Amino acid sequence: RELLRAKQEVKRIQSVPLIIGQFLEMIDTHHGIVGSTTGSNNYVRILSTIDRELLKPNTSVALHRHSNALVDTLPPEADSSIQLLSAGEKPDIPYEQIGGLDMQKQ
């Protein structure tokens, strides 16, 4: 009976309009850092029903609209725009090696 009530509560939480984010880092068993498409990173609570094995960096996740609690993990194809908006690899070339614009510098 308690299990049924708990499942109904989880469904109720997941029925609220959700925000899509990208999981960045696990802080402890109940909290993590999630990045959003707006560029902000949030310290969020993770529901106890979430499989912690699925929470790897860059995993798409669903966040509760009001509390920002992580309520679900999403398949990789759920939101491709997150991948497009995330920062790419940092170049390993120092600034001094970039040539050109000598005339403009003078």
Side-chain angles (χ1 to χ4, degrees):
R1 189 168 132 156
E2 277 187 44
L3 180 62
L4 180 63
R5 197 169 126 211
K7 284 182 180 181
Q8 288 174 343
E9 179 68 13
V10 168
K11 281 187 181 186
R12 186 186 66 78
I13 290 170
Q14 290 176 337
S15 68
V16 172
L18 301 175
I19 300 169
I20 296 177
Q22 190 172 22
F23 187 78
L24 300 176
E25 180 182 352
M26 184 73 102
I27 301 300
D28 58 35
T29 57
H30 303 292
H31 298 93
I33 304 291
V34 174
S36 71
T37 52
T38 62
S40 61
N41 293 342
N42 298 314
Y43 177 80
V44 299
R45 187 174 64 90
I46 301 169
L47 288 188
S48 60
T49 57
I50 303 295
D51 182 5
R52 301 316 195 249
E53 295 296 319
L54 298 175
L55 293 176
K56 294 185 167 79
N58 299 324
T59 301
S60 293
V61 294
L63 303 172
H64 188 273
R65 181 178 205 101
H66 303 295
S67 69
N68 279 344
L70 195 153
V71 297
D72 202 3
T73 57
L74 302 174
E77 64 275 359
D79 187 14
S80 59
S81 66
I82 291 178
Q83 298 296 330
L84 295 174
L85 294 174
S86 64
E89 289 186 22
K90 198 170 156 185
D92 58 353
I93 298 171
Y95 184 75
E96 292 80 27
Q97 288 184 353
I98 299 172
L101 301 178
D102 291 329
M103 292 298 294
Q104 287 84 346
K105 290 180 188 175
Q106 295 177 357

